[in-house]
Amino acid sequence: MLRKVLMCAVLCLLGVAFYTHAETTPLWQPVKDEVYLQEVGYKIPTEEPVLSVAVLDERAYVGMKGGLYQVLDNARLEFLEGSPKAPVEHLIAANGALYVFTPKALHRYADGKWTELAKGKYNDACAHVGGVIVSTPRSLYLVQGDTLETWGEAPKDFGEIQQIASYAETIYCLSDDQLFTFDGRDFVTKKVVEYGDLPSKELKDLVPLGSRLIVGTQKGLGVLRGTAATQLFGANGLPVEEVATLARGFDHDIWMGTKEGAVRIIFDPEHNHDYHYFFAARWLPNNVVNEISCASHTVYVATNGGVGIIDYEPYTLQKKAAYYERFMDEWGLRRGAFVHRLCKDGEADTWIREISDNDIGWGTHYWAAQAFKYAATGDEQARKNAVAGFNAMKWSEEITPIDGFPARSIWANGETGYRVKDGSGGLPAEWHDTPDGKWAWKADTSSDETDAQYYYAYVFYNLVANDKEKAQVREHIDRMTSHIIDHGYTLQDLDGKPTVWGHWDPEYFNGKGRPHQGLKGLEALTYMRVAYAITGDEKYNTEFQRCLDWGYLKKVIWQKLTFKLNVFHSDDRLAFYMFYTLLQCEKDPYLRSHYMRSLERSYEIERIESLPWFNFIYGALTGNDCETLQAARYLRESPLDLETYKFDHSGRSDLNTPKGYVPYCYVERPFSPRESGLWRWNFSMGKMSGPEYGPEIIEPSGWLDAYWMARYYGMILPPETDDPELLTVPKRDMQFGTVPYDGPPMPNVLED
């Protein structure tokens, strides 16, 4: 135990040394890994619309044209025996009973018994001062035992009652265009709203929330406090303004149903309300919401295509990291040390593992996550995973017959999976078999792979590697960097020619590669600096000076391209790989000033999207405020379901740019991963619609890289709880997605 404590202390000191040019006291604020509620989604599709839903004693009941059903295990519907065999248009749970509204009668279900309270058309009910009130378009009734007692009849010049709610110990009635009250004796319309106005004259629903009465309208929400009304629109953060139905939530919140999904609104005392948007196909079977009802931690959404169920479970970010690790096992995303996404086989309608164009590059995020985890916690399994990652990366160079030339990806001949057929620039993929026929490796390697390799080599070398492994890192970096130099600053393929994107030579820099001069210059300078830092070979200082003489430094500041109507995060990701390593190796103040201006410019353009990996790298390198709260929120709002679903935000009402940010290219505002999904770091969270391909299962490596990086630097603190149910998830013998890897064992080149 003492050894672990001492090791963690040493690693923490190493972490402080990792940003020696940052402020002594960082300006970023560490975020506590507090327990939060994580959404878990389920869907029960139906062939006909679900008209109504209510929760009684934590059991959800739904009404359809065919009658009343109960929800079992969040997975299926079962007809409730003894219930009315008639369309169930509306359901209300009040004072321990379920009120069931059919076209011709009002029924009550309580303690397993059914009572027909009255025949005729009734439309709403609510709990009120210890009793229950029921309404028709013209009257209010008290429930007295097994009968209804007339309580009040609205004058003919009042609108027809559509909904009722109990607020301030008074019944508030809503007609199509009027809000009025009944106090037990009189109906009143005057000065119900004395100050301010409701957003629209077209009224839809109402629900009380403590000191507030929330009124849904055709054009937004009205918030009534006493007799004063304020308004909530898209400009305030409301994703959809047209309200169909409202429901009380479970934690200072309300739920709003619309024709475009459901919205959870958490009311904040400082009026910084939080809006969570849920829609088909990720969360709901259909976007047309008819009713919503909430249990103590579960929300049931009745839609035209079935029931959407959103369960809220207590989580910490550390537990979420453990969940994602288990997800990769259970869904077949692992393949030796590699991790992969899954794509859908359209003909068989099954998931299949994709052996892609950049497996080595994408793998570095997972391997770096394990390195940061080991450095932050001393976890020995994380160290094994990090070593396995470096082994795979080193093997990617040794598997090719060209010294220093790494493969893009590696395939085991005969394994179950999909080997991509496309290569760079629309060219066919270049797969080459090894002499023994066991493996195939993908050529035409690009800067995507080399950037990723320098990033992970540096992280592994500094945080994980022992003396033997450090020597192997030095050898690997020396071979790869020497290849680039010896071939005129290019990656030279089997045909003796440079690959499509493996160019850092002056001819390319000043010719075809002119639009990418900033990134290419940054890469070349980083390769030489990292090679010198790891190997100590003076030739790399000489080559670094050559890159300066070629004018590469002058272009670095402007490496982030903004003139396109596109946010090309693939290049941004590569640049931040380079920033992370170069700024830790560079000591020269003049050179650092160029790199820092480039980083500041690039981060400012990225900042609006709150992508955690970018935020944490910026904070680690500078010590500046890196919006850790926003980054942690992104991590928390990332869904547990890693399938990609179609989304379209273009019709939303809340497309205004957040205060304090400047929109760049097409990014007017970021969208939560709850709404757009969890993606790799080459995806823009400002996209209005997507995905372009799919469906896919995205591997969570980038999320893990960001989280454990933040834990290592202290930007996210360890959870304060010792409850194992809040720190990890149990192992399960379950298999989803695709079959586990069934190819031969991958060689251990570190032991050869």
Side-chain angles (χ1 to χ4, degrees):
M1 181 66 182
L2 179 60
R3 184 179 66 86
K4 281 191 174 182
V5 171
L6 290 173
M7 184 174 68
C8 288
V10 171
L11 291 170
C12 287
L13 290 173
L14 178 60
V16 172
F18 238 42
Y19 54 92
T20 55
H21 290 270
E23 296 288 340
T24 303
T25 301
L27 297 178
W28 45 258
Q29 295 295 315
V31 177
K32 292 183 178 180
D33 188 3
E34 297 175 325
V35 179
Y36 71 97
L37 293 178
Q38 175 69 50
E39 302 97 342
V40 184
Y42 308 91
K43 296 189 287 286
I44 305 177
T46 58
E47 294 183 0
E48 62 181 77
V50 178
L51 305 175
S52 54
V53 61
V55 174
L56 176 66
D57 298 331
E58 297 297 305
R59 170 75 73 189
Y61 299 86
V62 300
M64 294 190 287
K65 186 177 180 180
L68 183 66
Y69 296 78
Q70 55 184 333
V71 178
L72 299 181
D73 303 322
N74 286 348
R76 60 190 177 93
L77 302 181
E78 180 179 84
F79 183 78
L80 186 61
E81 293 297 331
S83 63
K85 294 182 179 180
V88 176
E89 299 174 334
H90 189 37
L91 290 169
I92 291 290
N95 287 10
L98 183 68
Y99 291 82
V100 180
F101 297 78
T102 70
K104 296 182 179 180
L106 172 65
H107 304 264
R108 182 180 63 193
Y109 179 65
D111 300 323
K113 298 179 181 179
W114 282 98
T115 304
E116 184 181 281
L117 293 177
K119 294 188 181 297
K121 179 71 171 176
Y122 295 82
N123 59 12
D124 205 8
C126 70
H128 177 68
V129 195
V132 175
I133 307 300
V134 175
S135 68
T136 67
R138 298 244 60 90
S139 303
L140 298 176
Y141 300 86
L142 286 167
V143 177
Q144 298 282 41
D146 294 341
T147 62
L148 301 183
E149 178 182 305
T150 302
W151 194 37
E153 294 187 8
K156 292 182 179 180
D157 57 342
F158 281 54
E160 291 189 349
I161 300 170
Q162 303 293 336
Q163 283 87 21
I164 60 174
S166 177
Y167 170 66
E169 300 187 16
T170 302
I171 292 295
Y172 279 67
C173 305
L174 199 74
S175 71
D176 288 337
D177 60 359
Q178 195 175 38
L179 181 64
F180 53 96
T181 63
F182 181 70
D183 59 11
R185 294 183 180 180
D186 300 310
F187 284 90
V188 177
T189 60
K190 293 182 179 180
K191 295 188 177 181
V192 174
V193 179
E194 188 176 6
Y195 307 102
D197 291 296
L198 298 176
S200 169
K201 298 296 184 182
E202 296 183 63
L203 309 182
K204 299 297 182 179
D205 204 354
L206 74 172
V207 63
L209 180 66
S211 61
R212 303 171 177 88
L213 181 68
I214 313 300
V215 182
T217 80
Q218 182 76 9
K219 288 293 292 181
L221 291 176
V223 181
L224 192 67
R225 303 186 71 155
T227 59
T230 54
Q231 303 167 340
L232 294 178
F233 298 110
N236 304 105
L238 197 62
V240 182
E241 292 182 338
E242 183 177 355
V243 179
T245 184
L246 295 173
R248 176 71 183 268
F250 56 87
D251 185 22
H252 305 290
D253 61 324
I254 68 161
W255 283 76
M256 182 179 105
T258 79
K259 294 179 181 179
E260 299 297 334
V263 182
R264 183 188 183 204
I265 306 164
I266 303 172
F267 284 83
D268 176 76
E270 302 298 324
H271 304 287
N272 297 316
H273 308 323
D274 210 0
Y275 302 86
H276 301 173
Y277 189 22
F278 302 86
F279 48 87
R282 176 175 295 280
W283 300 103
L284 307 177
N286 187 279
N287 267 338
V288 178
V289 177
N290 297 313
E291 281 188 3
I292 301 175
S293 188
C294 300
S296 59
H297 59 78
T298 307
V299 181
Y300 299 88
V301 184
T303 79
N304 273 0
V307 183
I309 303 170
I310 304 168
D311 193 30
Y312 285 82
E313 297 182 7
Y315 259 72
T316 59
L317 289 174
Q318 182 170 312
K319 177 179 177 178
K320 195 170 199 174
Y323 171 88
Y324 282 150
E325 293 273 5
R326 186 182 72 180
F327 185 99
M328 289 193 290
D329 287 330
E330 293 182 347
W331 282 77
L333 273 62
R334 295 188 194 274
R335 181 172 159 269
F338 297 115
V339 292
H340 300 263
R341 64 183 176 186
L342 307 184
C343 55
K344 206 65 175 284
D345 183 336
E347 294 183 3
D349 194 31
T350 57
W351 292 108
I352 187 168
R353 190 166 36 248
E354 179 191 63
I355 314 307
S356 79
D357 199 41
N358 297 291
D359 286 351
I360 312 302
W362 293 119
T364 58
H365 282 299
Y366 180 69
W367 306 331
Q370 300 306 298
F372 285 120
K373 181 179 180 180
Y374 172 68
T377 67
D379 184 280
E380 284 298 326
Q381 185 58 52
R383 174 180 152 73
K384 291 178 181 178
N385 294 340
V387 173
F390 176 66
N391 176 73
M393 192 171 80
K394 194 169 188 295
W395 179 41
S396 75
E397 185 269 333
E398 295 190 11
I399 199 174
T400 78
I402 309 170
D403 287 348
F405 183 90
R408 279 180 172 270
S409 301
I410 300 172
W411 162 268
N413 286 320
E415 71 170 287
T416 300
Y418 168 72
R419 189 175 80 172
V420 295
K421 300 176 181 178
D422 298 326
S424 299
L427 299 172
E430 293 184 30
W431 288 99
H432 303 282
D433 287 338
T434 56
D436 60 9
K438 284 186 178 181
W439 309 96
W441 57 275
K442 197 170 189 297
D444 195 22
T445 304
S446 74
S447 55
D448 293 42
E449 279 69 45
T450 50
D451 288 356
Q453 293 221 10
Y454 281 92
Y455 168 72
Y456 184 58
Y458 189 85
V459 170
F460 180 75
Y461 186 88
N462 283 281
L463 299 186
V464 178
N466 58 29
D467 289 344
K468 178 182 177 182
E469 291 156 353
K470 284 180 183 290
Q472 291 168 326
V473 176
R474 287 194 289 271
E475 178 197 13
H476 179 69
I477 289 297
D478 184 54
R479 287 167 64 89
M480 197 162 60
T481 315
S482 293
H483 174 99
I484 292 172
I485 295 170
D486 294 345
H487 293 88
Y489 278 76
T490 68
L491 285 175
Q492 186 165 297
D493 215 330
L494 281 177
D495 59 4
K497 298 178 182 179
T499 65
V500 174
W501 302 112
H503 278 274
W504 302 273
D505 52 294
E507 181 181 359
Y508 179 85
F509 187 83
N510 294 307
K512 188 177 180 180
R514 186 177 295 274
H516 308 286
Q517 285 179 328
L519 179 59
K520 287 297 180 181
L522 179 64
E523 289 169 344
L525 292 166
T526 301
Y527 297 168
M528 300 308 131
R529 266 293 181 251
V530 171
Y532 176 72
I534 288 179
T535 68
D537 191 329
E538 193 60 38
K539 78 173 183 179
Y540 294 119
N541 267 342
T542 301
E543 293 299 328
F544 180 84
Q545 184 60 50
R546 178 180 296 183
C547 292
L548 294 179
D549 294 342
W550 285 338
Y552 286 9
L553 179 67
K554 297 177 182 178
K555 302 297 182 180
V556 165
I557 295 176
W558 316 111
Q559 67 81 26
K560 169 62 179 170
L561 302 180
T562 58
F563 62 85
K564 297 180 180 179
L565 291 176
N566 183 27
V567 178
F568 195 54
H569 279 321
S570 287
D571 280 0
D572 298 338
R573 170 175 162 264
L574 302 183
F576 272 68
Y577 271 153
M578 300 295 90
F579 285 135
Y580 184 77
T581 52
L582 178 59
L583 277 163
Q584 292 184 72
C585 296
E586 185 58 71
K587 310 301 179 186
D588 184 276
Y590 173 76
L591 300 177
R592 285 185 59 84
S593 72
H594 286 72
Y595 308 148
M596 287 299 296
R597 276 180 285 163
S598 181
L599 175 61
E600 291 288 355
R601 177 176 179 271
S602 298
Y603 175 66
E604 169 54 29
I605 299 170
E606 302 290 334
R607 188 173 63 92
I608 188 173
E609 297 186 48
S610 298
L611 294 169
W613 186 70
F614 294 91
N615 287 36
F616 296 145
I617 285 179
Y618 173 78
L621 294 174
T622 67
N624 293 339
D625 174 30
C626 60
E627 301 188 349
T628 51
L629 288 175
Q630 292 90 324
R633 175 170 177 159
Y634 182 106
L635 296 176
R636 291 186 178 115
E637 293 184 0
S638 298
L640 299 185
D641 176 2
L642 299 184
E643 183 175 348
T644 61
Y645 296 91
K646 291 289 185 182
F647 63 86
D648 186 356
H649 300 311
S650 60
R652 291 173 57 153
S653 301
D654 59 343
L655 298 181
N656 44 297
T657 301
K659 291 182 180 179
Y661 297 92
V662 176
Y664 295 96
C665 300
Y666 65 75
V667 181
E668 297 292 329
R669 56 149 295 176
F671 297 101
S672 166
R674 179 194 293 115
E675 301 164 359
S676 297
L678 179 65
W679 294 89
R680 292 168 166 175
W681 298 134
N682 65 341
F683 185 88
S684 170
M685 297 308 292
K687 278 184 176 290
M688 286 289 180
S689 62
E692 298 175 7
Y693 311 100
E696 298 173 334
I697 300 291
I698 301 296
E699 84 283 4
S701 304
W703 190 100
L704 291 167
D705 191 3
Y707 169 70
W708 285 113
M709 179 188 290
R711 280 288 303 272
Y712 168 72
Y713 283 108
M715 297 177 193
I716 294 178
L717 302 176
E720 295 180 355
T721 179
D722 58 1
D723 183 351
E725 292 189 1
L726 293 172
L727 298 175
T728 190
V729 293
K731 295 291 184 182
R732 306 183 301 190
D733 186 18
M734 304 180 75
Q735 190 64 46
F736 309 100
T738 189
V739 298
Y741 172 67
D742 53 5
M746 298 183 179
N748 187 347
V749 300
L750 303 184
E751 296 299 326
D752 293 346

